[in-house]
Amino acid sequence: MIEPLRGRKRTHTCGDLRAEHAGERVRLMGWAHRVRDHGGVLFLDLRDRYGITQVVFRPEKISPPVLEKARAIGSEYVVLIEGAAKPRPPGSENAELRTGAMEVEADQLAILNQSKTPPFPLDDGATASEDLRLRYRYLDLRRDVLKQNLIFRHRMTRSVREYLSDQGFLEIETPLLVKPTPEGARDYVVPARLHPGKFYALPQSPQLYKQILMVSGFDRYFQIARCLRDEDLRADRQPEFTQIDLEMSFVTEDDVFDVVEGTLQSIFRRDLDRDLETPFPRISYEESMARFGSDKPDLRIPFEIRDVTEIAGASAFEVFRAAKKDAPKTGTLALPVPGLGTASRREIDNFEATAKQAGAGGLAWARVKGGALDGGVAKHFPGDLTAKLLEATGARDGDLLLLCSGPRPLAQRVLGLLRTQIGNAAFKLDSREFRFAWVHRFPLFEWLEAHAAWGPAHHIFTMPLEEDLPYIETDPGRVKAQLYDLAANGNELASGSIRIHRKDIQESVMRTIGMKAEEAQEKFGFLLEAFEYGAPPHGGIALGLDRLVVLFNGGESIRDAIAFPKTASATSLMDGAPAPIDPKDLKELKLRIQD
Ligand code: ASP
């Protein structure tokens, strides 16, 4: 029953036929998307990457053997049909298909292959569990949503390549077998057979190599780079993901911002068919935390955090008074939520539960009604203080005020979390509206409570702001870095920095985080050595490609943008990775598995 191709070629794809093809004899090949028997007349929706074409088998017009074969076509069979392209009878056109005005009246049919019944329906909106779909990923990829994501990903990647090439960037590959990198996450390692006991690491990013390419004088580098990080289970992370990785010489952060804005603009123009306004707003880390309680703010959410430490501290509420005493280390912050005065006690209790889970002692609240406060902490605010509070927060009748006191970073984080949660649940945020923002001037160091020591906030090659250079060792906490992130709609899309190219600054940073010269030598001596041969001032950034695809093209997780993703526990359900290896291979690698 299965027939060979016999050199036959397609005249059209399943997405091609339009009114102008009426009367042509055509040959199509594809998968049997759906077969319907309408009282003897057989309809076949034939599908390929390009679309779906309706094929009709009319018993009165075809030979009995062809009809018999047609009746045997099962779901996802691979078939070849020949016949006449015709306009569909008036009234039976399908406006949802690009080929919907046409059908093919088939008189020839070859079944090129059969198919088992797929374990889940391939129509869109598949209700099958993700595990089942990952197990049969090749079938899942036949679904239109995933297919469109991968097509978009290809087009977007091509736009990036072309734009950056036009800007003088060179695409240069860096090694996959590298020396373990100092970027924070755990390395995936590969045993070196020729050097028993030694290991390569798979790169967490091309960071060190791209910096060395600047020392070599390449000036502008990019790479669509695979990055591998052996991180613990975290929602919506993948052990391997792709970055648009850039590095540039003789630049300040403005130059890096320009290139990234230009790249995104070209994606918008070419692949999304719309304009993108640049430059993006720039927000310091400090401001971002103060206004949004997050370093990846969602600017679509129409309310911000306000500082009401002074006003609330003058109320009769003891918690607010205490927060004022230790200001500015502590404070009282307010989140005025427009229109949420209708929230029930139960909803407010849920907000408080979120706050407590995030570490807050509690969450104070009041509704705004008739120009006054109502419920919650209202009783602690006399009239004049209420007026001040309303003015400072911009809250109006019908709004809900949420107030959080405590150490400032904690209160920011808590209200930032509630802002995102409420913003997403109660406001119609448009997923097609993209609000980009640069968040920059992050602290250079972060205090690692567990180690009672300073650690690098990004990586140790990040350059401090010029004006903070004198404080690297004397007051690390105040040192800001030339470190920046690109955020959009609550996502972190990119992260990068201007790098340290001077040995004295590098050594000073390493002393601050307590890294011994030997340790630095051992970990990335090769970079430090390269820096001794005329390293130019340089900087760069990396954009998460998978995340960009999901953001621009819809989809829930970055798995939807990756052809063969892994599960949250880093397994591949389709091919069964990871898997044990042959004891013989272990022996050759001089490795023994411990119980
Ligand atoms: N390598 C950095 C990262 O993966 C990006 C950069 O600083 O360019 O986050």
Side-chain angles (χ1 to χ4, degrees):
M1 167 133 143
I2 297 177
E3 292 176 49
L5 193 56
R6 268 194 254 106
R8 286 171 286 187
K9 301 263 187 253
R10 287 175 285 184
T11 59
H12 298 83
T13 71
C14 297
D16 280 341
L17 296 186
R18 302 287 185 278
E20 78 236 34
H21 296 105
E24 279 181 39
R25 186 156 180 84
V26 301
R27 185 188 292 130
L28 307 182
M29 303 182 202
W31 285 261
H33 188 63
R34 205 174 295 124
V35 193
R36 301 179 311 272
D37 190 338
H38 281 198
V41 183
L42 215 70
F43 288 91
L44 161 67
D45 287 343
L46 195 63
R47 186 197 70 234
D48 66 9
R49 184 185 118 190
Y50 309 92
I52 290 181
T53 298
Q54 175 164 291
V55 180
V56 212
F57 296 93
R58 295 190 197 283
E60 71 277 14
K61 297 211 174 160
I62 53 180
S63 67
V66 172
L67 185 64
E68 195 185 325
K69 252 194 291 180
R71 294 209 188 284
I73 298 173
S75 180
E76 298 303 307
Y77 275 35
V78 186
V79 302
L80 171 157
I81 62 100
E82 278 179 42
K86 294 195 164 171
R88 290 199 199 182
S92 67
E93 297 93 344
N94 181 350
E96 279 177 20
L97 292 182
R98 277 174 300 127
T99 60
M102 300 293 290
E103 63 187 19
V104 179
E105 203 170 82
D107 50 49
Q108 297 291 320
L109 165 67
I111 292 182
L112 300 176
N113 212 344
Q114 295 171 321
S115 169
K116 286 187 173 177
T117 303
F120 53 88
L122 303 187
D123 288 357
D124 267 319
T127 44
S129 75
E130 194 177 20
D131 277 3
L132 187 67
R133 291 191 285 114
L134 286 172
R135 161 81 179 79
Y136 296 94
R137 187 63 167 178
Y138 39 88
L139 297 178
D140 205 19
L141 289 173
R142 288 184 189 170
R143 292 196 307 123
D144 202 48
V145 197
L146 292 188
K147 185 179 78 188
Q148 295 308 339
N149 280 354
L150 292 190
I151 293 172
F152 181 83
R153 181 185 178 114
H154 161 76
R155 290 174 34 201
M156 193 182 100
T157 311
R158 186 184 60 182
S159 300
V160 169
R161 283 206 160 91
E162 282 180 15
Y163 181 79
L164 292 175
S165 306
D166 288 347
Q167 300 298 312
F169 284 79
L170 296 175
E171 183 168 11
I172 302 177
E173 287 174 87
T174 52
L176 275 182
L177 297 175
V178 304
K179 208 173 149 161
T181 46
E183 262 175 293
R186 204 175 287 115
D187 284 325
Y188 277 104
V189 294
V190 179
R193 181 182 56 86
L194 298 176
H195 305 276
K198 290 193 178 170
F199 295 84
Y200 302 101
L202 299 176
Q204 293 184 33
S205 87
Q207 186 64 33
L208 305 188
Y209 298 89
K210 68 173 173 176
Q211 292 193 240
I212 287 177
L213 287 169
M214 296 302 103
V215 179
S216 302
F218 282 100
D219 195 50
R220 298 185 144 208
Y221 141 99
F222 85 99
Q223 184 177 193
I224 309 295
R226 199 66 73 78
C227 303
L228 298 110
R229 299 182 188 174
D230 186 1
E231 290 178 307
D232 284 333
L233 220 118
R234 244 158 119 183
D236 208 21
R237 290 286 177 115
Q238 281 287 303
E240 42 181 322
F241 58 93
T242 306
Q243 289 185 344
I244 304 166
D245 194 43
L246 305 178
E247 198 73 10
M248 307 161 75
S249 291
F250 308 112
V251 292
T252 61
E253 66 175 25
D254 290 342
D255 301 297
V256 179
F257 292 0
D258 279 351
V259 165
V260 173
E261 288 171 1
T263 305
L264 289 168
Q265 226 164 18
S266 105
I267 294 171
F268 268 62
R269 234 175 263 141
R270 292 184 47 155
D271 307 317
L272 295 168
D273 202 17
R274 56 194 276 191
D275 289 328
L276 175 64
E277 205 181 310
T278 61
F280 303 150
R282 295 168 188 197
I283 308 171
S284 73
Y285 169 79
E286 217 168 301
E287 183 187 344
S288 187
M289 294 310 292
R291 288 173 57 192
F292 311 110
S294 164
D295 59 5
K296 44 181 182 191
D298 190 336
L299 300 183
R300 295 171 306 168
I301 299 174
F303 50 96
E304 295 180 11
I305 299 170
R306 302 295 166 110
D307 189 331
V308 296
T309 308
E310 285 300 315
I311 300 165
S315 76
F317 194 44
E318 195 39 50
V319 179
F320 294 163
R321 297 178 72 87
K324 187 181 159 197
K325 241 183 255 146
D326 275 333
K329 263 180 76 184
T330 58
T332 299
L333 306 182
L335 195 62
V337 191
L340 216 70
T342 50
S344 65
R345 264 318 291 266
R346 210 156 124 221
E347 283 172 282
I348 295 174
D349 286 348
N350 282 340
F351 298 152
E352 180 163 27
T354 304
K356 283 186 167 164
Q357 229 168 23
L363 186 71
W365 61 275
R367 298 190 178 92
V368 186
K369 229 186 215 170
L373 295 181
D374 180 48
V377 291
K379 56 181 177 293
H380 301 294
F381 284 81
D384 56 329
L385 212 52
T386 296
K388 281 188 190 156
L389 187 68
L390 294 183
E391 198 194 321
T393 55
R396 299 203 206 132
D397 278 0
D399 295 355
L400 176 69
L401 269 179
L402 297 174
L403 299 129
C404 185
S405 289
R408 201 164 282 267
L410 175 70
Q412 287 174 344
R413 202 155 38 79
V414 168
L415 291 189
L417 202 68
L418 284 168
R419 177 176 179 270
T420 314
Q421 190 181 308
I422 298 171
N424 278 290
F427 291 80
K428 284 202 183 78
L429 303 182
D430 179 358
S431 65
R432 304 302 297 166
E433 180 192 353
F434 303 110
R435 297 283 301 274
F436 293 93
W438 290 108
V439 180
H440 64 164
R441 299 174 166 239
F442 281 79
L444 182 64
F445 300 107
E446 62 187 10
W447 180 250
L448 304 172
E449 211 57 70
H451 299 99
W454 292 102
H458 189 49
H459 48 59
I460 68 159
F461 308 111
T462 300
M463 184 72 126
L465 291 187
E466 304 261 324
E467 63 260 37
D468 288 345
L469 285 175
Y471 309 108
I472 297 178
E473 289 175 78
T474 53
D475 191 359
R478 72 173 276 178
V479 180
K480 304 268 191 315
Q482 299 186 49
L483 174 56
Y484 35 81
D485 277 2
L486 179 64
N489 298 7
N491 297 291
E492 179 193 318
L493 296 179
S495 167
S497 60
I498 299 301
R499 327 294 183 189
I500 298 173
H501 63 282
R502 273 170 42 190
K503 195 168 177 222
D504 55 334
I505 303 176
Q506 188 69 71
E507 284 171 352
S508 176
V509 165
M510 292 193 317
R511 274 196 298 273
T512 303
I513 60 169
M515 184 177 272
K516 300 255 168 10
E518 306 84 75
E519 187 188 346
Q521 203 55 39
E522 151 93 23
K523 276 193 170 156
F524 32 81
F526 63 105
L527 179 68
L528 297 177
E529 186 186 79
F531 277 4
E532 296 190 47
Y533 292 88
H538 63 284
I541 192 163
L543 291 94
L545 180 92
D546 316 289
R547 169 79 47 218
L548 284 176
V549 172
V550 171
L551 181 70
F552 292 157
N553 208 32
E556 265 145 42
S557 99
I558 63 169
R559 289 189 291 280
D560 295 337
I562 298 174
F564 301 106
K566 306 236 175 344
T567 62
S569 56
T571 59
S572 170
L573 297 177
M574 185 183 75
D575 56 45
I581 61 171
D582 200 307
K584 186 170 97 272
D585 296 334
L586 276 179
K587 212 167 156 193
E588 210 172 31
L589 293 167
K590 302 215 166 26
L591 292 178
R592 228 191 341 257
I593 305 294
Q594 275 191 341
D595 292 332

